[in-house]
Every structure is written in structure tokens, then in C-alpha cells.
């Protein structure tokens, strides 16, 4: 399921729908698929840390209670990267502005998504529809162990 739509693309790049392609639905779906794959990996590890069986209770996108803040910014950059990939010519990025935009948004996605994964995600573990204290991201800080 997509986290973004063409409306979101236009908010970031006002003229993107005026460049010869009227819809980027496939690019939104592909970005959502990649993000969901990473979220399932996160969920699997986080569920086990919480003493839950991720096979018995699988990840559900609707339980990401803060996805508009935690997931959608990165999803937008990835969707933009895919959109500009569709608009790009078969030229090196240095000579094709669309390819350069693709690379720019891919780097922005990686920066944003790596930060989001490092912090973690707000997930409705008890299916209450509300954010409880223990459902907020729990950042595990590294500690130096000396012998």
C-alpha cells in the first residue's frame, strides 16, 4: 500500500505532473512496497524484543500510529526518486536533469529512512488505536563495555 500520492509529489515539486506523465501511481506503490519490506524486518525484530511472535500476529500498516511523521517523509523522497527515474532519459545523470533529480531524491530518501529506522516507529502493539508510552520508539543507545 502506498504512503504517498501524486498530491504529495506536487506539494514538493509543483510542476512534476506537467513534465509529460500525468500519474505516478506505480511509483507510489513501488515505494510503499520497499518501505513495507523494511518495516516488516523492523517489526519482526521489535516484536521478538517485546516477547511477541511476529508470525502469529503479522505487521499491519494501519497500526503505524505516527506514519505521517515517521514514514511518509522518506516515502515521499523515494516516490520522487522513482518518478524522476521514469522521466529520465537513458543518459548519464550529469547530462540529464531528471536523472540528477532521481539521484538527489534517492540520497534524501536514504538519509531520512536511515534516521527513521535508527529511531524506530510508533506502533499500536495493543491495537487500542492510541499511542501508549510503551508503544513509542525505544531508542537503544550503545554503551561502551570495558574489560
Amino acid at each position: 500500500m502506498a504512503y504517498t500520492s501524486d498530491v504529495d509529489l506536487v506539494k514538493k515539486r509543483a510542476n512534476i505532473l506537467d513534465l509529460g506523465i500525468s500519474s505516478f501511481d506505480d511509483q507510489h506503490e513501488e515505494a510503499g512496497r520497499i518501505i513495507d519490506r523494511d518495516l516488516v524486518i523492523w517489526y519482526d525484530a521489535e516484536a521478538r524484543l517485546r516477547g511477541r511472535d511476529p508470525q502469529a500476529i503479522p505487521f499491519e500498516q494501519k497500526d503505524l500510529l505516527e506514519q505521517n511523521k515517521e514514514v511518509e517523509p522518506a516515502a515521499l523522497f523515494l516516490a520522487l526518486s522513482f518518478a524522476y527515474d521514469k522521466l529520465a532519459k537513458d543518459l548519464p545523470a550529469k547530462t540529464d536533469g531528471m536523472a540528477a533529480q532521481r539521484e538527489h531524491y534517492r540520497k534524501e530518501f536514504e538519509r531520512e529512512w536511515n534516521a527513521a529506522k535508527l529511531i524506530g516507529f510508533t506502533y499500536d502493539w495493543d491495537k487500542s488505536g492510541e499511542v501508549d508510552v510503551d508503544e513509542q520508539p525505544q531508542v537503544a543507545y550503545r554503551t561502551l563495555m570495558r574489560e
Side-chain angles (χ1 to χ4, degrees), residues 11-31:
K11 286 179 187 174
K12 189 76 174 165
R13 299 296 299 191
N15 71 336
I16 195 155
L17 297 178
D18 300 329
L19 301 174
I21 297 175
S22 61
S23 175
F24 292 99
D25 292 339
D26 292 342
Q27 288 69 30
H28 295 292
E29 288 298 321
E30 181 66 8

Side-chain angles (χ1 to χ4, degrees), residues 43 52-58:
Y43 174 85
R52 299 168 188 255
D53 180 5
Q55 301 302 318
I57 306 170

Side-chain angles (χ1 to χ4, degrees), residues 22 26 38 53 107 110 112 125 128 135:
S22 61
D26 292 342
D38 284 357
D53 180 5
K107 288 177 186 172
E110 289 171 6
E112 183 72 28
W125 294 99
S128 69
E135 294 176 330

Side-chain angles (χ1 to χ4, degrees), residues 50 52 57 63 65 123-135:
R50 293 170 178 266
R52 299 168 188 255
I57 306 170
D63 291 328
L65 297 178
Y123 192 81
D124 193 5
W125 294 99
D126 64 4
K127 311 286 186 194
S128 69
E130 296 180 13
V131 178
D132 298 326
V133 172
D134 68 332
E135 294 176 330

